[in-house]
Amino acid sequence: MRARETTATTFERKEGRVDLKPPLTQLDIPTTDGGFYDGFTRTVAVSGKIIIGALIFWAVAFPQNAGNLLNAINEAILATFNYWYVWTSAFFVVLCLLLALIPASRRMRLGEPEDRPEFTNFSWFSMMFGAGVGVGMLTYSTGEPISHFQTNPAVIQGLIAGSSAETVRPAYEWSFLHWGLTPWACYALTGLALAYFSYRRGLPLTIRSGLTSLFGSRLEGPLGHVVDIVAVVATVLGVSQTLGYGVEQFVAGVARVSGGAWLLNDDSTASAAAVITALVVIVGASTLSAMSGVGRGIKWLSNINTGLSIFVLLFFLIFGATLFSLQALFVGIWDYLTTLPWKLTTVWSADGTESGNELAAWQGSWTIFYWAWWIAFAPFVGLFLARISKGRTIREYILGAMIVPSAVCFTWFALVGGTAISLELTGQAQGAIVGTGLSDQLYATLAVMLPAGLATLMSAVVVVLLLTYLVTSVDSAVLIINTINAAGDEGPKARPHILFWGVALALVVGALLIVGGLSAIQTAMIVGALPFSFVMMLMGLSLVKAIIMDNLRKQADVPRTVGTIN
């Protein structure tokens, strides 16, 4: 019988006697029996809906008030918690690497000793990458290197001139920092904690389970409900940020392919009609995919977008600025690795000087924005990673979830962004790429490097690829939100709840895009990410404690996994 064991085993150690108990293997999270919320934790499900509904109403009914207050909170967070975001993100990277390398943890399996992975490596990488950063990568693989090519901390400090050959290396140092090990450490740590406690302890696959070695059965009540509610809100806002960028780029691509000027405003941003149309298409397809589950729709779409991604990369490798891009890739990786400790821990604060204020503003709008984005995305991607990673060892899981996706991001940024920088450096682009908006820069690069007909065709391929990434991200997010609301049970898939969260995501993005643009979504996301950053820190400490205690149990021959507890 699975239950809380109370019989202690005394383990003799040189430094004293330690009473060891088998780990907690049951977390009784209350769920509703029957009715509309059958199988769901009503407090979590209803509270999440109320908070997101209130945000939508506030943004639509009082746009100026919402914008002013969110901006004020955002400024306070960037001024007060800049050190927190930077140092906690560095901690996540270091902790993940240590867990993958230390013998005491790396050989542990996420499950019973006989468990093996459910998905092939290809499908595992495809689903992980598609849900993790696929949409943002398409937007930023051109836009970020181009932006850092124009200005970066070295330019702000007057060490080099912007938009020159000297800025190429710093451009990739910072691009790789933002899209390398750090985001995947955030995802990997969250997913590892959830998989460890779920598959080795038999606990529910929900966020609160990752804290059980610290708080135990107290997580069955209000404390656990608060943790899961924070995770749901962070997930909605993090996915909304990704969906917002995706919608803008989707509309820009359709406008390029179709010549539909009505899709864009005078400032080249997506019109309200275009945003609404795009959201209907994306969320409609995502909802249908979510209803089919992880093993069917999501897996199928992930394999498609991986294949299309490889095709686009090969196209840029053959027809882009190949030598320039490959040099940017290998030199960039070297620069990234050799400067990583410094870049992971450096914090610039406004000091009243022109240079100091600019550095603080630059870091707030880039590095800290990214760290908040990855943290807000972590409950969704982390739980999704845990869902698809049962049976893998900790070393296999961490290295697979950090090294491979980082390498793919580096390759994308080097081949796609490197081609754009080369076209600007050589004068072929004549400002056509740097002079357009973030969401249009990839299409502008294709338009400069290719004849009109081929550029339109490749832009259409990118639009299809973007759509598959968007659908994969949204349908995965809807399933994960429902899993959290259902106390970790994947069973309840009541269509009204899937439809609600699909529509809620569309309304959050649509409302914030129409009343405040991408900056409004970015601000709301940074605010929503802060509470979950504290949950993530506790999850890391909880995981470390659990691994240490399991190693002590192993030496004392005390049961460590649910399969050995009778």
Side-chain angles (χ1 to χ4, degrees):
M1 180 181 69
R2 282 171 48 188
R4 297 188 185 93
E5 300 286 346
T6 57
T7 302
T9 298
T10 300
F11 174 47
E12 298 287 350
R13 301 178 65 195
K14 290 181 180 179
E15 59 270 29
R17 299 165 62 89
V18 178
D19 286 336
L20 294 174
K21 299 177 182 179
L24 181 72
T25 60
Q26 184 174 317
L27 203 60
D28 295 324
I29 304 174
T31 55
T32 302
D33 186 14
F36 182 71
Y37 285 99
D38 182 31
F40 289 84
T41 303
R42 189 192 299 271
T43 302
V44 177
V46 173
S47 298
K49 290 177 179 178
I50 290 174
I51 292 171
I52 297 303
L55 175 63
I56 295 170
F57 176 79
W58 185 37
V60 173
F62 307 100
Q64 185 172 358
N65 175 267
N68 291 339
L69 183 55
L70 283 174
N71 284 331
I73 296 174
N74 182 54
E75 290 176 4
I77 288 175
L78 292 180
T80 307
F81 292 95
N82 52 350
Y83 283 91
W84 170 257
Y85 273 123
V86 170
W87 289 348
T88 53
S89 298
F91 170 75
F92 299 150
V93 173
V94 173
L95 178 58
C96 283
L97 293 177
L98 287 176
L99 291 176
L101 297 175
I102 294 175
S105 58
R106 69 186 185 189
R107 298 187 183 95
M108 288 182 170
R109 193 169 294 277
L110 301 177
E112 298 298 324
E114 67 275 8
D115 286 337
R116 292 298 179 268
E118 175 185 358
F119 300 100
T120 66
N121 285 337
F122 180 81
S123 293
W124 185 55
F125 290 133
S126 298
M127 288 189 285
M128 174 172 55
F129 195 78
V133 295
V135 175
M137 183 193 65
L138 279 177
T139 300
Y140 278 98
S141 59
T142 309
E144 181 160 0
I146 280 287
S147 178
H148 298 335
F149 169 67
Q150 296 172 278
T151 185
N152 58 63
V155 174
I156 293 173
Q157 292 170 312
L159 303 177
I160 55 177
S163 301
S164 67
E166 293 178 301
T167 59
V168 175
R169 289 181 69 166
Y172 277 96
E173 288 178 25
W174 290 105
S175 296
F176 288 179
L177 173 72
H178 297 150
W179 292 83
L181 297 177
T182 306
W184 295 101
C186 294
Y187 304 157
L189 179 63
T190 305
L192 179 59
L194 297 177
Y196 192 94
F197 288 103
S198 180
Y199 302 138
R200 291 178 63 89
R201 302 284 194 265
L203 297 176
L205 188 59
T206 188
I207 302 299
R208 71 178 77 184
S209 294
L211 303 176
T212 48
S213 71
L214 296 180
F215 300 105
S217 59
R218 283 175 289 177
L219 291 164
E220 294 173 348
L223 176 61
H225 297 339
V226 170
V227 169
D228 282 349
I229 292 168
V230 167
V232 167
V233 173
T235 297
V236 171
L237 295 177
V239 173
S240 296
Q241 175 73 32
T242 298
L243 187 55
Y245 279 121
V247 165
E248 287 276 2
Q249 191 171 28
F250 180 78
V251 171
V254 172
R256 284 268 184 179
V257 172
S258 65
W262 66 274
L263 295 168
L264 304 175
N265 296 317
D266 293 338
D267 59 357
S268 297
T269 58
S271 66
V275 168
I276 293 170
T277 303
L279 286 171
V280 169
V281 172
I282 294 165
V283 174
S286 302
T287 303
L288 292 175
S289 178
M291 290 180 178
S292 68
V294 175
R296 296 177 60 191
I298 296 174
K299 175 183 175 181
W300 180 72
L301 279 172
S302 297
N303 289 339
I304 288 178
N305 58 39
T306 298
L308 282 176
S309 296
I310 293 172
F311 170 76
V312 173
L313 279 179
L314 288 175
F315 187 89
F316 271 93
L317 179 64
I318 296 170
F319 297 102
T322 305
L323 293 178
F324 182 91
S325 298
L326 291 177
Q327 182 180 17
L329 174 62
F330 294 112
V331 174
I333 291 176
W334 170 259
D335 289 343
Y336 165 66
L337 293 176
T338 55
T339 63
L340 184 59
W342 172 74
K343 284 186 168 60
L344 273 180
T345 55
T346 296
V347 182
W348 286 300
S349 297
D351 58 6
T353 66
E354 182 178 354
S355 175
N357 292 345
E358 285 189 36
L359 286 170
W362 186 92
Q363 188 174 42
S365 61
W366 283 103
T367 305
I368 295 175
F369 154 67
Y370 273 125
W371 295 173
W373 189 5
W374 307 142
I375 289 170
F377 226 48
F380 150 49
V381 182
L383 202 153
F384 185 73
L385 277 178
R387 165 63 184 83
I388 63 176
S389 300
K390 183 178 181 180
R392 298 184 183 273
T393 64
I394 288 180
R395 177 174 58 183
E396 179 186 10
Y397 168 86
I398 290 178
L399 296 182
M402 289 180 65
I403 305 300
V404 175
S406 296
V408 174
C409 285
F410 294 163
T411 304
W412 263 96
F413 275 70
L415 293 180
V416 180
T419 297
I421 290 176
S422 177
L423 292 173
E424 289 288 356
L425 268 178
T426 58
Q428 290 176 260
Q430 297 183 344
I433 301 173
V434 298
T436 191
L438 177 68
S439 299
D440 190 46
Q441 287 180 325
L442 176 53
Y443 306 114
T445 302
L446 292 170
V448 172
M449 65 183 283
L450 300 172
L454 187 55
T456 299
L457 179 61
M458 280 303 299
S459 294
V461 171
V462 172
V463 169
V464 173
L465 174 58
L466 178 63
L467 181 61
T468 63
Y469 272 132
L470 282 165
V471 172
T472 303
S473 294
V474 176
D475 62 10
S476 302
V478 169
L479 286 177
I480 293 308
I481 290 170
N482 272 335
T483 299
I484 297 172
N485 287 335
D489 184 3
E490 296 179 68
K493 290 184 174 66
R495 295 193 174 198
H497 298 285
I498 293 177
L499 291 172
F500 173 86
W501 286 111
V503 172
L505 282 169
L507 290 176
V508 170
V509 174
L512 292 175
L513 274 179
I514 291 171
V515 304
L518 287 172
S519 61
I521 300 179
Q522 177 178 327
T523 301
M525 182 271 299
I526 291 176
V527 173
L530 183 61
F532 193 72
S533 68
F534 294 98
V535 174
M536 280 184 64
M537 177 61 73
L538 292 173
M539 289 177 79
L541 299 176
S542 176
L543 179 62
V544 170
K545 180 182 177 182
I547 290 173
I548 292 173
M549 294 304 297
D550 272 359
N551 276 284
L552 293 177
R553 292 186 182 105
K554 182 179 180 180
Q555 296 176 51
D557 198 26
V558 178
R560 301 176 303 283
T561 63
V562 67
T564 58
I565 299 174
N566 300 310

